[in-house]
Structure formats: structure tokens, C-alpha cells
Amino acid sequence: MRLNELADNEGSSKDRTRIGRGIGSGKGKTGGRGVKGQKSRSGVSVNGFRGEQTNLIQQMPKRGFNNPFAKKFNAVRLDRIQTAIDAGRLDAKGVIDVTALVGAGVIRRAKDGLRLIAGNNEFTSKKVTFKADHASKGALAAVEAAGGKIDLPAAAPAEAE
């Protein structure tokens, strides 16, 4: 093998098509754009135009609105937290909050806060303290039954499940 013997694999590279270079090239004359009309010219954007009809996006009904100030919470089930505690990724003696859950790999990223939800299984860890923004009634009952507690902001009572 010498430097002058180096070459690409057969068929790995292809010459670009030079359009508009005569009829014999196969892409001459109209250059692959068909014939005549607005869409055959460059710089024309007619997406959504339906020709003397109302645009489809204008015909669709519009209902409700998206609240730009709505907070997005990390909803976490108690059984996922129990699994992380059993695996040794979470320390049950410390306060479990969003940053602890991110560090343990239970959630991917911290959003605007933490919402605890009762899982399928029983929560068995004793004396666990959570710092959350919301908690379902089932989650509150499960944690308190195990001897732990959930610190909620004063303005956020437990939600109905």
C-alpha cells in the first residue's frame, strides 16, 4: 500500500448534478423545475396557499389558550423514589428534593418544582423528609403512614387524586 494507491471505495462519492447545462445533460432547459408558473421560479414561497380559498390554518377552529406563565413540575411516583432509596442512590436520612432526585438519576432535569404522586406499591422508607411543591392526597397519606413528612409551601394544599 502506497500513498498514490489510496482511493475511495467504489461508489462512495458521486459528482453533483450540474443543472441547466443543455438538453443532453438530462437536467437542462427547465432544470428539474417542470414548466412555467410561479413555483418554477426561485425565491417564491407559497406554502399554505390554496388558490382563492381561505388558508387551511385560518379555517381551523381555535379554542383556549396556552398559559405562558404556567409552571411545569416534575411529577414523580413514590415507588420510583423507593426504588432509588433501595438501590442506595438516594439518602433517606437527608431531605429529598428536586436536586437530590436529579443527582440520583430519578428525573432528568429540574423544572419548576416537584409534585409527588402515590405509586402502585407501598412506600416503606421510615422518616423520610420531602421538600415538594405539590403532593397528592395518596402520597401524603403514604409518606405519613411510613413516619415521614412532606414540606409543602403554605399556599399549596394537597391535590385531589
Side-chain angles (χ1 to χ4, degrees):
M1 172 72 72
R2 295 192 177 102
L3 284 176
N4 66 333
E5 295 172 350
L6 287 176
D8 285 339
N9 292 333
E10 191 65 35
S12 66
S13 64
K14 207 162 115 177
D15 292 339
R16 74 176 181 85
T17 305
R18 298 181 68 222
I19 63 167
R21 295 294 183 273
I23 293 172
S25 71
K27 289 282 188 222
K29 194 183 169 212
T30 53
R33 288 184 178 270
V35 287
K36 300 183 182 175
Q38 184 181 21
K39 286 186 174 179
S40 69
R41 279 129 174 88
S42 65
V44 175
S45 176
V46 286
N47 288 343
F49 182 72
R50 294 169 61 199
E52 295 192 22
Q53 297 178 53
T54 309
N55 290 340
L56 189 62
I57 196 70
Q58 287 179 309
Q59 282 188 334
M60 301 305 277
K62 289 151 186 76
R63 301 271 189 274
F65 84 115
N66 287 326
N67 183 1
F69 306 109
K71 293 192 173 185
K72 292 179 172 60
F73 293 103
N74 293 101
V76 182
R77 292 193 328 260
L78 287 178
D79 55 352
R80 290 205 54 206
I81 295 172
Q82 183 66 53
T83 305
I85 291 172
D86 293 342
R89 291 182 289 153
L90 266 176
D91 181 22
K93 293 175 183 161
V95 175
I96 297 177
D97 58 355
V98 177
T99 53
L101 292 174
V102 171
V106 176
I107 56 178
R108 192 172 295 162
R109 69 185 66 83
K111 294 180 184 172
D112 293 326
L114 177 64
R115 173 177 281 140
L116 291 175
I117 301 170
N120 302 337
N121 303 333
E122 292 295 320
F123 185 72
T124 57
S125 293
K126 306 286 184 205
K127 296 186 179 178
V128 179
T129 304
F130 290 98
K131 186 170 182 359
D133 295 281
H134 294 275
S136 66
K137 288 181 182 177
L140 272 172
V143 171
E144 288 172 0
K149 73 174 202 175
I150 301 176
D151 290 334
L152 294 171
E159 300 174 352
E161 226 178 78

